[in-house]
Amino acid sequence: MDIETQLQAKCRYIIFRNEANQYTVARFQRTDEKGEQFTATGHIPHLETDVTYRLSGTYVQHPRYGIQFQVSECVRALPDDRDALIRFFSGSHFSGIGPAMAMRLVDTLGNSLCARIREDAACLDLVEGMTEKKKHAILEGLRESGAFDASYAFLLANGLSARQIGILEEHYGDDFIQVLEEDPYRPFFEIDGFGFRSCDRLAEHYQVSEDDARRQRALVYDTLIQHCFRSGSTYVQEEALRKTLWQQFGFEADEALHVLMEKDVLVLEEGRIYDHRQYEAECVIASRLNAPDTRSALPDDFDAQLAAVQEELNIVYDDSQKAAIRGFFRHSFMILNGGPGTGKTTVIRAILLLQERLSPDAEMLLAAPTGRAAKRLSELSGRAASTLHSLLKWDLETNTFLVNEKDPLNADALIVDEFSMVDSLLFAALLKAMTSHARLLLIGDQNQLPSVSSGKVLQDLIESQRFPLYCLDTIYRQSQGSGIAALAAAIRNEDPLSFEGDVRFIRCNAEQVQQAVIQVVKNALDAGYSAKDIQVLSPRYQGAGGIDVLNQVLQDVINPADSFKRELKVGYRLFREGDKVLQLRNMREDAVCNGDIGEIVEIIPSEESVDHSAQIVVAFDDQIVEYEQDTLSYLTHAYCMSVHKSQGNEYPVVIMAVLPQHRFMLSRRLLYTGITRARRALVLLGDPQLFAAALKQEEREQRDTTLQLRLSQNYPLPAPLPCE
């Protein structure tokens, strides 16, 4: 049933068509001696009834509708004899092309003229009396008639969605196919969302050789950005890049590098090569932050106002917390660094109340890198908070921010929590959007993992020793019996480890870890915790203690199958109503961000949906989002997730696997980040000795950035900092 089949058939009628993504269900009849009718489904552009098409695809068994033909390519079957071709080119699709010109077309180019025109439109110049206007009419007529549908089908078959094809059309106009033919790698450089692999498949279709200069330039750029993505660096050494290109692809990169630098795609600086966006981001950050600190004198009654705030909140702040509060009102820019349980949130609450007392008309904004972190900040502070992408009005289609230097934020002060997750590009965009008079407070924990994308902004800012830095070290949760906070402090200070209070370490190996996870989860559920309260973490996806396997076993425990729950298989994942799911990509139009966690409330099978396409409906904290065919891959199960995906969130119960199979992925930052996700209970599974050894392991691949260097240039050091 899965054998690729080619056949010719006439479209009898269209059962269903979604114009947004061109998904179509239609009834066809074969034109050969069999003459049988069948149902075809797929993304089919320009389909017309009573027109014959050449179809490619496979027969599949639909659970309700039986055997259907799943279309991979649909091309209008154009006439192939002289008289029929003349009638075709004299028809309504071809404005200004009469019988005489149609006859000259056929006689000059032959019965295969349609294929010849598709391959090289310049062949039309061979026809007597051909003008640019008539050439345009012929090309447009072929496109409108469906003669060029093979190009659309090819793009779809190579992983481009109808939406992406629409973006290509919007970006390059009606001639986007011609643009791809001239340089199939061009979208890789010019349009976000088009990777090298997709463009390389297009290039293969257009018979671009491996040593073609266009491909070599794309390889250079892809190699650089892939290195920066994997390592988190903002640049690569020129010598190292050249060596990699020669060893992996066998070509000297002189010409390609020259062209890319000439076009400002890459930037060369003192032997370092940057993606121009990363170079610009570091320069923007340095130039904005290197401006002299606009210090403010504290009001005479500041201490009295602070005392009143302490009374209102029923909190007595220690000296380091008071210093941080004063620092916010003294400096235009400052950093607050501290681990869990050290009172960062209580400092924020004091700052907010004091701001209201001292400047009641001032506009104060709160933000965080992720939706979950923003919600948590809002809950703890009692004020509205948003994601940075939402604050800056991120545009999904163009991957740009609508709030920028031309249309800046209306804010007198901005507080950003979980700043360790912020990368260079995002921070640069934020600084561009801020006015010169606005105060900026960055809050983070430098011991946590850095951003997923390139840069180590918080670490660079702190280590530069150029900015007011306030450190909170006293653990207040410890006084409430928090073994979690005590363990985090021990890791930070390299003190002896203890697994006490609300921390447990269960010894187990890879074969035992699944059963151990199941038992701990069952115990937590029996203790009154909900599935939302429990989060299992693992450093890797594959293996016995990996994310994929643990998600499967936990689904059966937390959300077992029954006759009342609908299911849908998407790839190798089986989704079920009631499942806890994780969002993998930002969806600005639905205000859902990468890392958001929701619950599947309904699955609509294809036979019941309006467009005959399966849907999944997910409830997030404050909204309902519908996922259709082209967005189903944005979801995965969230019973178990990576430590990186959990960053910025906190959960009442965290269970984390630490196994020998994870050895090469473990590091001090990763373990620290994982354990600090727990709020009430932490259960570690695996080998305590491996855990202790991993704490001595720093990140294996250090991030190379030049932000510190840029911050140190041209400006004198400020006054001594409150802490080092």
Side-chain angles (χ1 to χ4, degrees), residues 42 65 122-123 153 170 237 312 355 358 388 455-456 504 521 534 562 573 599 627 675 696 717:
Y65 298 110
C123 69
E170 183 179 349
Q237 292 289 344
E312 182 177 344
Q355 182 80 6
L358 300 174
L388 288 171
K456 45 183 176 73
R504 290 181 62 199
V521 168
I534 306 167
D562 65 44
R573 296 186 179 92
E599 179 183 340
Y627 293 80
I675 69 169
K696 300 177 183 179
L717 288 172

Side-chain angles (χ1 to χ4, degrees), residues 38-141:
F38 62 93
T39 299
T41 66
H43 299 274
I44 308 175
H46 309 298
L47 190 65
E48 299 178 38
T49 57
D50 295 322
V51 173
T52 301
Y53 294 89
R54 294 195 306 275
L55 303 176
S56 298
T58 56
Y59 285 101
V60 297
Q61 180 70 44
H62 191 280
R64 181 172 178 180
Y65 298 110
I67 296 176
Q68 296 181 337
F69 191 78
Q70 189 169 300
V71 177
S72 60
E73 184 176 88
C74 178
V75 183
R76 182 165 181 156
L78 298 175
D80 56 5
D81 65 88
R82 185 175 184 276
D83 292 340
L85 282 166
I86 292 172
R87 289 194 301 272
F88 175 68
F89 280 99
S90 307
S92 59
H93 283 298
F94 302 91
S95 178
I97 308 298
M101 174 56 74
M103 188 180 299
R104 288 199 295 273
L105 268 172
V106 178
D107 290 344
T108 304
L109 301 178
N111 291 359
S112 61
L113 78 164
C114 293
R116 290 187 63 180
I117 295 170
R118 279 201 300 266
E119 291 173 4
D120 185 8
C123 69
L124 291 170
D125 295 330
L126 301 174
V127 181
E128 184 182 353
M130 184 61 62
T131 63
E132 287 299 319
K133 186 176 180 180
K134 289 181 178 180
K135 186 190 295 185
H136 180 76
I138 291 170
L139 294 175
E140 285 301 305

Side-chain angles (χ1 to χ4, degrees), residues 534-604:
I534 306 167
Q535 187 57 60
V536 181
L537 303 178
S538 179
R540 61 182 296 178
Y541 282 85
Q542 289 78 38
I547 294 168
D548 292 337
V549 170
L550 290 179
N551 266 320
Q552 291 178 20
V553 300
L554 288 170
Q555 183 188 43
D556 294 335
V557 173
I558 297 174
N559 187 35
D562 65 44
S563 58
F564 299 101
K565 297 177 183 176
R566 286 176 166 174
E567 298 179 344
L568 177 67
K569 193 164 187 179
V570 181
Y572 66 87
R573 296 186 179 92
L574 179 66
F575 290 109
R576 182 177 297 144
E577 289 177 343
D579 272 344
K580 179 181 176 183
V581 289
L582 175 72
Q583 178 73 15
L584 297 175
R585 292 184 59 179
N586 291 323
M587 292 170 57
R588 182 175 178 271
E589 61 271 29
D590 294 302
V592 183
C593 297
N594 183 359
D596 286 351
I597 296 175
E599 179 183 340
I600 296 178
V601 294
E602 186 179 10
I603 291 176
I604 305 172

Side-chain angles (χ1 to χ4, degrees), residues 8-53:
Q8 190 160 293
K10 180 178 287 187
C11 179
R12 290 301 186 189
Y13 56 92
I14 298 173
I15 301 171
F16 168 80
R17 183 168 177 83
N18 184 341
E19 293 297 340
N21 60 14
Q22 300 179 326
Y23 181 80
T24 304
V25 182
R27 195 69 174 169
F28 283 81
Q29 184 174 11
R30 295 180 63 151
T31 58
D32 58 13
E33 65 278 1
K34 294 184 177 181
E36 63 186 17
Q37 292 195 14
F38 62 93
T39 299
T41 66
H43 299 274
I44 308 175
H46 309 298
L47 190 65
E48 299 178 38
T49 57
D50 295 322
V51 173
T52 301
Y53 294 89

Side-chain angles (χ1 to χ4, degrees), residues 3 21 49 64 74 97 182 239 245 263 276 290 293 331 337 364 379 391-392 555 575 580 640 693 714 717:
I3 299 174
N21 60 14
T49 57
R64 181 172 178 180
C74 178
I97 308 298
E182 292 174 354
E239 183 179 348
L245 291 167
K263 293 178 177 290
H276 72 99
N290 268 334
D293 185 13
H331 302 284
N337 181 63
M364 174 81 80
E379 292 171 348
L391 186 71
L392 300 177
Q555 183 188 43
F575 290 109
K580 179 181 176 183
C640 181
N714 302 324
L717 288 172

Side-chain angles (χ1 to χ4, degrees), residues 633-652:
S633 62
Y634 296 178
L635 291 174
T636 189
H637 292 103
Y639 302 110
C640 181
M641 69 174 70
S642 69
V643 177
H644 287 84
K645 286 292 186 185
S646 73
Q647 197 170 0
N649 302 331
E650 280 192 352
Y651 312 92

